[in-house]
Amino acid sequence: MEPLPYQIKRTLRASRTRIVVTAEKIEVIAPPDVSDEALHQFVKEKWHWITATMQRLKARKAHIQSLAPETYHHGAPVPYQGKTYPLSLAPTKLKSIKIEYTDVFKAHIPHTQWETVNSEEIRSAIIGWMKQNVKITVEQLVLQHGPKHRLFPKSITIKSQRSRWGSCGIHNDITINWLLALAPLEILEYVVVHELCHIKEKNHSKHFWSLVAQHLPNYRSARLWLKQHGQVLMLGL
């Protein structure tokens, strides 16, 4: 049996040891007091399930079509908040690419780059814009939901995450995956509320889900949407 590379993550929120498998990695999540030896034995016992799950996920991923356009050219469809919007390119006197959004995405390209700008540069500018926009939206959602049960995060970070949509650390620092910019706004709202509720309930108990429901009575539909469409979102732009 060949050794499998996997990551071990100990967290106070874990009440038992479990394995999270994606097409790219294996993560073992465990309570702080579980020894390395016990975790290695646990992985060994689950080896056949792990490899079968990874193969199934890789096969499924191979048939998933990305939301992103093949290239970021004039007229390319840019996904945002569950819809797609055409990309417009226009020259500007600015020194760097600037992205604006109304009913279209407009990329202002510096005159000095107009003839040489490539798709990757435009893509990077759009991703930068989306990260900034998600940060603003998350801050607004925290202001909307936080006061109800005094759920105030210590900090808010927006970044790329390969296997999760959000997290709430032991010091109540919240992290949100910027790829949620591609999902309908109510999906981002659900993830923000989910992580806010972890400030009070560091688990997924009945009390936790009851707290989520007090903020979002229809949270189950958003949770289901993520399960059905999450793999597509994870492919990114």
Side-chain angles (χ1 to χ4, degrees):
M1 181 177 68
E2 296 183 1
L4 289 170
Y6 55 90
Q7 299 174 351
I8 294 175
K9 179 181 179 182
R10 290 182 171 83
T11 172
L12 293 172
R13 286 169 53 182
S15 59
R16 59 183 177 83
T17 300
R18 60 190 177 93
I19 299 174
V20 177
V21 179
T22 70
E24 293 82 20
K25 70 175 184 179
I26 304 163
E27 188 175 50
V28 182
I29 301 174
D33 58 349
V34 181
S35 68
D36 285 351
E37 183 180 356
L39 294 179
H40 296 326
Q41 180 62 31
F42 185 68
V43 170
K44 186 176 180 180
E45 293 171 356
K46 299 290 184 179
W47 184 81
H48 291 295
W49 173 81
I50 291 170
T51 54
T53 301
M54 288 194 78
Q55 290 173 357
R56 185 176 72 252
L57 292 175
K58 287 179 179 179
R60 185 186 300 171
K61 186 175 180 179
H63 293 87
I64 296 174
Q65 185 175 358
S66 171
L67 296 173
E70 290 187 10
T71 61
Y72 289 83
H73 56 272
H74 188 85
V78 177
Y80 179 59
Q81 292 188 345
K83 300 178 181 180
T84 57
Y85 300 88
L87 175 63
S88 173
L89 307 184
T92 180
K93 294 181 180 179
L94 297 172
K95 294 183 179 181
S96 60
I97 299 174
K98 179 184 178 182
I99 304 298
E100 285 186 330
Y101 165 77
T102 50
D103 54 343
V104 300
F105 275 94
K106 191 169 186 178
H108 299 271
I109 312 296
H111 287 287
T112 55
Q113 296 178 250
W114 184 251
E115 298 295 333
T116 59
V117 69
N118 60 48
S119 176
E120 181 57 29
E121 290 173 311
I122 297 172
R123 172 182 172 273
S124 294
I126 292 174
I127 290 175
W129 180 91
M130 287 196 179
K131 287 180 178 179
Q132 292 178 356
N133 186 263
V134 168
K135 180 69 178 294
I136 293 170
T137 305
V138 170
E139 289 171 346
Q140 293 171 341
L141 290 169
V142 169
L143 289 175
Q144 176 184 341
H145 289 280
K148 187 172 184 178
H149 293 99
R150 300 188 60 78
L151 305 176
F152 299 112
K154 182 179 178 182
S155 67
I156 299 170
T157 301
I158 308 299
K159 68 177 185 179
S160 301
Q161 294 178 293
R162 299 282 302 195
S163 61
R164 61 176 61 189
W165 299 113
S167 61
C168 178
I170 59 174
H171 300 298
N172 299 331
D173 301 289
I174 285 181
T175 299
I176 300 295
N177 193 330
W178 77 266
L179 289 172
L180 288 165
L182 309 182
L185 185 57
E186 59 267 25
I187 307 303
L188 173 60
E189 182 179 21
Y190 160 69
V191 174
V192 171
V193 167
H194 185 114
E195 302 310 332
L196 285 178
C197 289
H198 277 314
I199 292 174
K200 187 173 182 179
E201 298 287 344
K202 305 288 188 185
N203 50 56
H204 288 100
S205 64
K206 291 189 298 182
H207 296 295
F208 169 80
W209 290 114
S210 174
L211 186 60
V212 173
Q214 290 177 50
H215 289 267
L216 295 173
N218 297 321
Y219 76 87
R220 289 182 179 84
S221 61
R223 191 182 180 198
L224 177 61
W225 191 98
L226 268 180
K227 288 184 178 180
Q228 294 175 335
H229 303 281
Q231 285 188 306
V232 176
L233 293 188
M234 281 294 182
L235 295 179
L237 291 182

